[in-house]
Amino acid sequence: MAPKRSAREPTPSSATTAQISSTGAGSVPVVPSSKKAASANQSPQDIALGIWKNYLDATPQRTKLIDVFMSFLVVVGVLQFVYCVIAGNYPFNAFLSGFSATVGQFVLTASLRIQTNVENKAEFSSVSPERAFADYVFGSLILHFFCVNFIN
Amino acid sequence: MSDTVAEPFLKGNTGRNTRGILRLSILVLIAAAAIASRLFSVILDPWFNFRATKYLVSHGFYDFWDWFDDRTWHPLGRVTGGTLYPGLMVTSGAIYHALRALTIPVDIRNICVLLAPGFSGLTAFATYLFTNEMSTSPSAGLLAAAFMGIAPGYISRSVAGSYDNEAIAIFLLVYTFYLWIKAVKLGSAMWGALCALFYGYMVSAWGGYVFITNLIPLHVFVLVCMGRFSPRIYVSYCTWYSLGTLASMQIPFVGFLPIRSSEHMSALGVFGLLQLVGFVEFVRSGVPSKQFATLLRGFVLLVFTVAFGGLVLLTVSGVIAPWTGRFYSLWDTGYAKIHIPIIASVSEHQPTAWPAYFFDLNLLIWLFPAGVYLCFQSLADEQVFVVVYSILASYFSGVMVRLMLTLTPIVCVAAALALSSLLDTYLSVKSPEVPVEAGPDGTNGTPTPSKKAAKQDGLRSMRLPIVGIYTTFSKVSVVSALTAYLLIFVLHCTWVTSNAYSSPSVVLASRMPDGSQHIIDDYREAYQWLRQNTKDDAKIMSWWDYGYQIGGMADRPTLVDNNTWNNTHIATVGKAMSSREEVSYEIMRQHEVDYVLVVFGGLLGYSGDDINKFLWMVRIAEGIWPEEVKERDFFTDRGEYRVDDGATETMKNSLMYKMSYYNYCTLFPPGQCQDRVRGVKLPDVGPTLNTVEEAFTSENWIIRIFKVKDLDNAGRDHASASSFDRGNKKKKTIKKRGPKVLRVE
């Protein structure tokens, strides 16, 4: 169950990472005003286009970097999963650790992204961006230690 | 008015330091009390863990990991390294090596004996931290730590010498929860990662880790349902889950369970749910509401179809393992009795009797609901955790006696919350003076003029929210009553600990008529006999309860032991015990059994003996061989389980019955042979044994050991051989001789 389900998890987000980001990084006030009332009857295609444009305009460079990394992880995860479905999961340990490495890293990166988001400052009063990055490194170290240990 | 000498010490900066030191010293004292109260009698009990630890210390970690134990489960052996939770042994091994490195010469046995009390001190400290996260009052944490230190519900599994998984597991449980609360509060990935690390440690230590695996997702789920999703929860839960699951898979015994078995599915499901909710929340915050509605509808539909389809597909194709039996028995208490007798036969797995709550928790159990109620008053994320925990643990503790252990921490915490808010209200010297000036003429500070208005507008307390205790009398009376209760609680705990929980199962204590203590030491006597009088590789057959003890104390291979991983093998032993001698002999020969050990309490009135457990053996055997062993045959026509004259033929012919009562009647004058456990008179002529012979019977007849006879020299079967020995004349068997034939050649 797990691999399949969690495999599916990143998939929608891969298509929508961009959308997530469009809302992030202080771009909020911009978005509604640009859409205005005219957006009420737009087709979904238009909406997606508008969001994508906004994302390109309003996201800080660093956050974009994180997003690229996240979409890379999604691609790797999907590839592994497809391989597992097609070619069988024989060294199950290896597949599992590889796959959970991508999922875990994705989640950790998402956490970093959330924590460094200016918008969420109120939620994370005690977590500065530097602290968030240190946490991220700490978490990733543990994650990869376990993965390497598990891979056989 | 409250000017005392201590005043300057309790205010400002110095005050903080003083309080810090006080708190620390109180905590140290609590830990000391927790340790001391567990030292009533020190005898090392669970022998398997001790054996494993010795192996670990002498052979090193890697050998331990690959340890194949050929002295248990006799013909099969056991891949011990892969079928145990190594946390306990590794912990004591690490302590041992650390102390050695500090040049403190210490025996591994001492570490094993004192590990549980030592960790109970740490548990008290962890409870203090946990409670401090729940309450602003500094006294709550200290009270909770004190309760945790002496609550009998926890002492029951952590007295000195009870070297069992639970010894360290409860500390890990509480500490993992503390880290989890910390992670949720701060939304920090570091605390989440630490929580995952301790969760991994917990997984390596105790099978009860499943409780954490389900409780934390449930907490998150409840929060999400309450509409309290926040990025903090996303960060802490996802960090915990992704790291913790990987950590738990490192233990060979757990392996792929976290992604296969249904017990772990809730955690995975909540993980997925959080991804979705997190994603939806992000979109919501940026996109105009009209568009959002469109997006959401499509998204929800898509996710629902995919998830449902996936679930059906996986269930049909059987990728998800079916729910394990132990899990079913948690929901349906009758389930185990019908389907898996091996689980139901363990006394720890029985439903809890209600007096046990009072016995184990005493005063705390009626403070517990009050504490939970107080949590509702300021329902922040962490208070929700207490509520969820208490509901879940209360239910489970009612299902299985053993799970009382997981209930104890939350009861201590909730009781401490209730008690500290009471004490804080009643002990404060200052607070009442403030509202008094509002109504100097009113009797209890309630201004008279407002009374009428209050009546019209509803509750008076709603209008005048200043609540306080005004008279010294009420304060003194309440506080002194509470103090008395607490003192009685301490007395109760001490009494319970010294009387009920400090008696190891290998040594029985009884009182002589003059009140002096009499120690009944039959178990050790018998194990010592085995150690000295049998071959080093003599195989001992006994019921599985005694497997670890025989392995540890007598150092002889056993057929089955307390690690009940192979039901068939246990059923084989059950069949051997409950069948006729001739059938049993075959089984025993096949398994190379040299000695059979039975526990018999008839002489002494010791009720935990094998005849009383006998029906479980029958049931378990019946589960595998329904044709050959039938439980019904052991009951009389009227449905009674009898061992006296009226016992059924099957009962009288079973090996267990014969061994238990063999020669027993010779102890008594004719006609007065009595079984003191069952309280019945036995027939004057005892059973005869053909295939086994009595080898040893302990002082009080508790342990009886029989030697399995070898095949007869003369090729007779055992029945005729022993009847010949008894001097019975051999029955003439008419030999059929064929007609004489003339030999031609």
Side-chain angles (χ1 to χ4, degrees):
Chain A
M1 168 87 185
K4 302 204 175 169
R5 191 171 167 120
S6 26
R8 198 177 42 68
E9 243 37 273
T11 327
S13 9
S14 75
T16 51
T17 323
Q19 296 176 0
I20 299 178
S21 330
S22 77
T23 72
S27 62
V28 189
V30 190
V31 184
S33 59
S34 68
K35 298 271 169 187
K36 284 184 225 151
S39 64
N41 291 326
Q42 278 174 335
S43 70
Q45 212 173 0
D46 291 340
I47 300 176
L49 263 179
I51 290 171
W52 175 243
K53 211 175 202 171
N54 255 302
Y55 169 71
L56 288 185
D57 292 345
T59 318
Q61 189 59 36
R62 279 187 193 176
T63 316
K64 273 184 191 163
L65 207 60
I66 292 181
D67 290 338
V68 170
F69 182 49
M70 278 164 78
S71 38
F72 165 73
L73 286 171
V74 170
V75 170
V76 174
V78 169
L79 276 182
Q80 289 189 22
F81 189 69
V82 167
Y83 177 84
C84 168
V85 169
I86 295 172
N89 59 5
Y90 162 57
F92 195 44
N93 280 61
F95 163 69
L96 212 58
S97 52
F99 189 69
S100 24
T102 50
V103 172
Q105 195 66 60
F106 178 84
V107 172
L108 285 174
T109 319
S111 300
L112 174 68
R113 194 184 191 290
I114 293 174
Q115 285 176 328
T116 49
N117 200 333
V118 189
E119 212 184 315
N120 290 328
K121 201 69 206 153
E123 285 280 353
F124 300 98
S125 50
S126 66
V127 184
S128 64
E130 291 78 15
R131 166 73 187 275
F133 188 71
D135 285 1
Y136 173 68
V137 171
F138 177 63
S140 307
L141 277 179
I142 297 176
L143 176 77
H144 290 290
F145 168 75
F146 283 142
C147 284
V148 169
N149 192 27
F150 194 61
I151 207 164
N152 277 352
Chain B
M1 42 207 92
S2 55
D3 259 334
T4 53
V5 195
E7 180 80 354
F9 294 107
L10 296 174
K11 277 197 172 158
N13 227 356
T14 352
R16 208 169 306 127
N17 289 341
T18 326
R19 275 193 293 262
I21 290 175
L22 269 179
R23 210 167 292 156
L24 188 71
S25 48
I26 291 174
L27 273 178
V28 169
L29 282 177
I30 288 173
I35 293 172
S37 69
R38 284 164 170 80
L39 299 179
F40 273 104
S41 75
V42 183
I43 284 184
L44 191 53
D45 213 2
W47 282 87
F48 167 73
N49 291 332
F50 180 54
R51 235 181 99 216
T53 312
K54 272 204 293 198
Y55 190 90
L56 169 69
V57 169
S58 56
H59 290 74
F61 185 71
Y62 286 102
D63 274 353
F64 176 67
W65 212 241
D66 303 327
W67 181 24
F68 181 80
D69 188 1
D70 56 353
R71 291 181 76 79
T72 52
W73 295 91
H74 165 58
L76 311 169
R78 174 184 173 197
V79 193
T80 313
T83 55
L84 53 50
Y85 291 102
L88 182 71
M89 296 100 198
V90 173
T91 307
S92 37
I95 295 176
Y96 174 76
H97 286 300
L99 287 180
R100 279 292 161 112
L102 293 172
T103 67
I104 300 173
V106 63
D107 188 15
I108 185 73
R109 180 193 299 257
N110 299 335
I111 293 176
C112 293
V113 167
L114 292 178
L115 191 77
F119 266 88
S120 71
L122 287 179
T123 313
F125 182 63
T127 316
Y128 167 76
L129 293 175
F130 181 76
T131 318
N132 265 0
E133 294 299 317
M134 298 296 157
S135 150
T136 47
S137 159
S139 62
L142 292 174
L143 276 171
F147 289 156
M148 196 64 206
I150 57 173
Y154 175 41
I155 285 188
S156 65
R157 307 308 299 263
S158 65
V159 285
S162 85
Y163 180 56
D164 216 338
N165 286 338
E166 286 91 338
I168 62 171
I170 295 302
F171 161 68
L172 293 172
L173 185 86
V174 178
Y175 202 70
T176 311
F177 286 148
Y178 160 68
L179 290 172
W180 165 246
I181 293 298
K182 199 84 184 167
V184 168
K185 266 185 158 179
L186 298 178
S188 151
M190 185 192 78
W191 288 103
L194 283 178
C195 179
L197 281 183
F198 268 86
Y199 170 72
Y201 190 11
M202 170 77 186
V203 173
S204 76
W206 192 36
Y209 75 90
V210 181
F211 185 65
I212 304 184
T213 321
N214 285 301
L215 186 58
I216 291 183
L218 189 65
H219 178 215
V220 171
F221 186 68
V222 168
L223 285 179
V224 170
C225 287
M226 289 168 77
R228 289 191 177 197
F229 174 81
S230 70
R232 281 179 293 119
I233 291 176
Y234 179 88
V235 170
S236 46
Y237 184 78
C238 291
T239 318
W240 170 77
Y241 181 74
S242 56
L243 295 182
T245 308
L246 267 177
S248 66
M249 288 196 292
Q250 312 294 314
I251 311 299
F253 192 35
V254 177
F256 297 133
L257 280 185
I259 53 161
R260 284 265 170 83
S261 83
S262 309
E263 287 105 323
H264 299 78
M265 281 305 123
S266 65
L268 186 65
V270 169
F271 181 68
L273 181 76
L274 269 194
Q275 308 300 323
L276 298 183
V277 174
F279 167 63
V280 168
E281 285 289 319
F282 271 125
V283 177
R284 192 218 297 273
S285 63
V287 184
S289 57
K290 197 78 173 236
Q291 295 176 352
F292 177 70
T294 327
L295 276 177
L296 188 66
R297 206 172 305 134
F299 186 66
V300 165
L301 266 177
L302 180 83
V303 165
F304 183 76
T305 352
V306 171
F308 189 73
L311 198 68
V312 168
L313 198 75
L314 285 177
T315 318
V316 168
S317 63
V319 175
I320 308 175
W323 305 83
T324 54
R326 227 170 272 243
F327 189 79
Y328 272 128
S329 62
L330 281 183
W331 303 110
D332 176 8
T333 42
Y335 178 87
K337 209 164 203 167
I338 306 163
H339 294 98
I340 7 173
I342 185 83
I343 291 177
S345 74
V346 183
S347 63
E348 282 176 349
H349 293 169
Q350 305 299 326
T352 318
W354 67 263
Y357 285 96
F358 191 72
F359 188 72
D360 275 358
L361 299 165
N362 197 259
L363 155 100
L364 305 181
I365 199 65
W366 53 260
L367 283 174
F368 174 50
V372 176
Y373 170 72
L374 283 178
C375 284
F376 275 104
Q377 299 222 306
S378 59
L379 204 57
D381 293 352
E382 58 268 21
Q383 270 88 7
V384 173
F385 184 76
V386 174
V387 174
V388 170
Y389 185 175
S390 46
I391 292 172
L392 206 67
S394 309
Y395 175 74
F396 285 136
S397 70
V399 175
M400 256 189 216
V401 179
R402 190 183 192 186
L403 293 180
M404 185 70 104
L405 205 56
T406 54
L407 175 70
T408 309
I410 198 63
V411 169
C412 290
V413 169
L417 288 177
L419 201 61
S420 81
S421 79
L422 255 180
L423 285 179
D424 283 353
T425 317
Y426 279 92
L427 268 183
S428 65
V429 187
K430 256 187 301 178
S431 69
E433 314 302 343
V434 185
V436 164
E437 68 200 30
D441 44 358
T443 38
N444 269 342
T446 319
T448 343
S450 70
K451 262 188 178 173
K452 276 176 191 169
K455 264 179 193 164
Q456 289 160 0
D457 280 21
L459 291 171
R460 217 182 313 157
S461 56
M462 303 297 276
R463 286 179 59 83
L464 286 175
I466 307 162
V467 183
I469 314 302
Y470 298 99
T471 60
T472 329
F473 173 73
S474 56
K475 281 185 193 172
V476 170
S477 56
V478 169
V479 168
S480 55
L482 282 180
T483 318
Y485 290 148
L486 287 177
L487 288 178
I488 292 173
F489 174 62
V490 172
L491 280 183
H492 174 84
C493 291
T494 321
W495 178 81
V496 168
T497 314
S498 62
N499 282 294
Y501 290 140
S502 288
S503 49
S505 54
V506 282
V507 180
L508 308 168
S510 71
R511 298 255 170 224
M512 302 292 270
D514 61 347
S516 64
Q517 203 176 37
H518 178 63
I519 299 286
I520 295 159
D521 210 1
D522 280 34
Y523 279 98
R524 291 199 297 174
E525 184 192 345
Y527 295 144
Q528 193 63 23
W529 184 88
L530 275 178
R531 190 182 266 274
Q532 289 177 353
N533 295 289
T534 59
K535 281 192 310 234
D536 189 46
D537 59 344
K539 283 91 188 167
I540 318 286
M541 181 171 90
S542 71
W543 192 232
W544 60 263
D545 298 23
Y546 317 108
Y548 276 169
Q549 288 178 359
I550 296 172
M553 295 170 89
D555 192 25
R556 293 290 175 270
T558 53
L559 258 67
V560 290
D561 63 31
N562 308 37
N563 171 276
T564 54
W565 63 273
N566 188 332
N567 192 26
T568 315
H569 210 52
I570 290 178
T572 311
V573 174
K575 186 184 170 193
M577 294 290 194
S578 54
S579 305
R580 299 171 56 83
E581 259 190 88
E582 300 81 51
V583 182
S584 310
Y585 187 69
E586 282 305 309
I587 299 175
M588 292 191 287
R589 290 292 297 183
Q590 280 165 7
H591 290 83
E592 301 175 318
V593 175
D594 295 302
Y595 292 91
V596 187
L597 182 147
V598 291
V599 175
F600 174 64
L603 182 65
L604 208 66
Y606 170 58
S607 60
D609 69 350
D610 276 345
I611 291 285
N612 278 357
K613 292 175 186 168
F614 191 38
L615 281 179
W616 288 114
M617 304 183 201
V618 174
R619 275 174 206 151
I620 291 169
E622 191 182 6
I624 307 284
W625 293 279
E627 284 84 37
E628 297 171 61
V629 185
K630 290 193 185 65
E631 187 183 349
R632 187 65 194 84
D633 294 344
F634 291 83
F635 290 105
T636 58
D637 291 338
R638 293 170 56 202
E640 294 162 317
Y641 179 62
R642 295 177 70 163
V643 292
D644 54 356
D645 266 334
T648 60
E649 277 308 303
T650 324
M651 181 76 188
K652 279 183 176 168
N653 285 323
S654 66
L655 186 67
M656 171 59 73
Y657 180 87
K658 281 185 170 180
M659 286 194 298
S660 291
Y661 292 110
Y662 182 67
N663 269 349
Y664 183 57
C665 300
T666 55
L667 279 180
F668 298 88
Q672 296 184 14
C673 182
Q674 210 192 10
D675 182 329
R676 289 187 183 133
V677 178
R678 265 73 49 179
V680 290
K681 257 199 177 146
L682 294 171
D684 273 338
V685 185
T688 52
L689 280 171
N690 298 326
T691 55
V692 294
E693 59 192 355
E694 185 173 0
F696 172 80
T697 295
S698 64
E699 186 189 352
N700 299 296
W701 286 59
I702 288 186
I703 307 260
R704 309 196 65 182
I705 299 173
F706 292 84
K707 186 175 182 2
V708 180
K709 282 185 191 164
D710 206 346
L711 289 174
D712 189 56
N713 282 336
R716 302 165 293 183
D717 63 340
H718 282 99
S720 53
S722 56
S723 85
F724 178 79
D725 288 344
R726 253 177 264 126
N728 296 349
K729 207 169 178 194
K730 194 175 168 188
K731 274 180 204 155
K732 257 295 195 256
T733 45
I734 306 133
K735 271 191 181 169
K736 275 189 184 170
R737 284 186 190 155
K740 284 180 180 172
V741 182
L742 189 72
R743 281 169 60 167
V744 187
E745 287 146 287

